[in-house]
Amino acid sequence: MTYDPENIFAKILRGEIPCDKVHEDDTTLAFKDINPQAPTHVLVIPKGAYESMDDFSANASDTEIAGFFRAVGKVARDQGAVDAGYRILANTGVDAHQEVPHFHIHIFAGRDLGGMIKRA
Ligand code: AMP
């Protein structure tokens, strides 16, 4: 699969559409999900053009990967999510229903998040 530069998160990164930003650094942007599934629902994305966790983990530099995952932890702390707990999730590909083909991690917090995965 080739990275689609017209995906919605690529447009957010280029400033073509707005986002409710909560964090930005050299490698990473984080913003509130437009359709929140929990009181805290933040998306963390690398600034580089990676379509999925598979692409990112295989092809991003060590600097990008370290910066990204440090940012995920910082955003969760900044959101006040550590004490009660939080969940991170990265939908990857068809079976996981990945909707936006730019790698992103969801951070959910602010309520009991229930079981880990829907039973088949
Ligand atoms: P996924 O199914 O993991 O690809 O999730 C994509 C997420 O992106 C969904 O939770 C959407 O609500 C969210 N989303 C889509 N468009 C926007 C947007 N413009 N700003 C913020 N979140 C968005």
Side-chain angles (χ1 to χ4, degrees):
M1 200 162 140
T2 308
Y3 183 81
D4 172 11
E6 295 309 312
N7 77 75
I8 195 98
F9 294 169
K11 290 180 179 178
I12 287 174
L13 283 166
R14 292 196 295 268
E16 294 170 7
I17 62 170
C19 71
D20 191 350
K21 181 166 72 177
V22 300
H23 172 86
E24 182 170 14
D25 61 41
D26 288 349
T27 63
T28 306
L29 179 69
F31 50 90
K32 294 186 179 176
D33 196 290
I34 204 168
N35 182 25
Q37 307 294 312
T40 296
H41 185 175
V42 173
L43 300 171
V44 188
I45 70 173
K47 290 185 170 177
Y50 302 102
E51 67 182 20
S52 67
M53 175 63 186
D54 182 62
D55 187 14
F56 186 69
S57 60
N59 298 313
S61 69
D62 291 354
T63 299
E64 291 174 298
I65 291 172
F68 178 80
F69 281 100
R70 285 201 186 279
V72 171
K74 178 179 178 358
V75 168
R77 284 191 295 279
D78 291 350
Q79 293 291 312
V82 173
D83 285 352
Y86 64 94
R87 178 172 293 157
I88 65 173
L89 176 74
N91 291 319
T92 306
V94 174
D95 275 0
H97 294 237
Q98 182 179 356
E99 292 172 7
V100 179
H102 182 109
F103 173 47
H104 52 283
I105 280 189
H106 298 254
I107 300 175
F108 303 102
R111 65 169 171 82
D112 184 332
L113 297 165
M116 186 167 66
I117 190 171
K118 184 178 165 187
R119 293 191 186 281

